[in-house]
Amino acid sequence: MKFTMRWFGRSFDSVTLAQIRQIPGVAGVISTLYDKLPGEIWQPGELRALKEEIESAGLTLEGIESVNIHDAIKAGLPERDRYIENYIRTLEVIGQLGIHVVCYNFMPVFDWTRSDLAKALPDGSTVMSYDQALIDRIDRNELMNHMGEKSNGYLLAGWEPERMAHISELFRLYSSVDEDALFENLCYFLKAIMPTCDRYDIRMAIHPDDPAWPVFGLPRLAGTKAQLLRLMAAVDDVHNGVTLCTGSLGSNPDNDIPDIIRSLAGRIHFAHVRNVHHLGPGRFDEAAHPSSEGSLDMYAIMHALYRTGFDGPVRPDHGRAIWGEVSMPGYGLYDRALGICYLNGLLEAIEKGDR
């Protein structure tokens, strides 16, 4: 496994590459051209400059998260082939620079949803939280404003203001797209890009739905073991794989994450490892990484990744806001650094126990 941190770039992130370089066990970052809109073609010079900046700090660029997918592709509109071609041209740029992992999602309208970005815990830290009852009371057209209230002024990943300004139109666009249609549109997209992925050894890693159930009636494709296995079988190419996000899958307590890992052996290309605390049906708080702080068995998760031979990038995911740090929600330095050290300790224990 290669321990990494997500980094949004110098213009968007409160965390610096110099700080990441000092976290024990971290040799690389997962990054992106954060100001690119879905459907835009990435230019070689822009991505090369990002890669060189990361390497000049003594780190490596281990993958891209994300190359966002245009709604025309997700909704299966007539113009989707043009945007797929743009995506292929971007993949060529990525492949030519020797980058081999691309995380993406196929969720309509919202990439992820929370009812609170800064819920206060008894110890004074804050976490992102989800309560379906609260979500049900929010006007879906106002969700962007609701999310922005506690964003600390940062641009939230997957919540591009240019798209969210047309949220009513987006809901109309997907009104006739059910789960089967969305699945067919995803397969169409993947089959179109697989030759390029095969040529450059780019491992596409779909991110699970977050949370792992439909929100506002929108269809979901990647929230259960059965859904992920269905996608792997439909496009049976090693370059069609999964981002194993324990927090997203773990939002549903019915998901047995170690079992999902074993079932997807060889098709997990990237891992987000974090904890969640289940509070009841449709309710969870994000949590500090140790098993004792939430509802997931982090040792069992890391053990399953190790025993299935996973050797891709892994990163701590959303952390708490602690010690007065102000950052993009979930993406501060301190709690994620603690998370990496904890995961490193688990891995050392697992490796030595297997000798």
Side-chain angles (χ1 to χ4, degrees), residues 108-128:
V109 186
F110 306 119
D111 280 13
W112 54 278
T113 310
R114 295 291 182 272
S115 55
D116 195 335
L117 298 184
K119 179 181 176 180
L121 298 183
D123 65 2
S125 63
T126 64
V127 296
M128 295 197 287

Side-chain angles (χ1 to χ4, degrees), residues 50-120:
L50 175 69
K51 186 171 185 282
E52 290 174 352
E53 180 181 10
I54 291 166
E55 290 174 345
S56 69
L59 298 161
T60 56
L61 178 55
E62 292 292 337
I64 299 295
E65 183 181 353
S66 303
V67 182
N68 290 326
I69 297 172
H70 197 277
D71 288 295
I73 299 173
K74 295 179 184 179
L77 301 184
E79 61 268 31
R80 66 178 172 180
D81 288 334
R82 172 163 57 93
Y83 288 108
I84 290 174
E85 181 57 33
N86 288 357
Y87 205 98
I88 288 171
R89 290 177 63 184
T90 293
L91 289 177
E92 290 173 342
V93 170
I94 291 169
Q96 287 164 6
L97 285 172
I99 302 165
H100 298 292
V101 175
V102 173
C103 174
Y104 73 101
N105 76 74
F106 216 75
M107 288 177 268
V109 186
F110 306 119
D111 280 13
W112 54 278
T113 310
R114 295 291 182 272
S115 55
D116 195 335
L117 298 184
K119 179 181 176 180

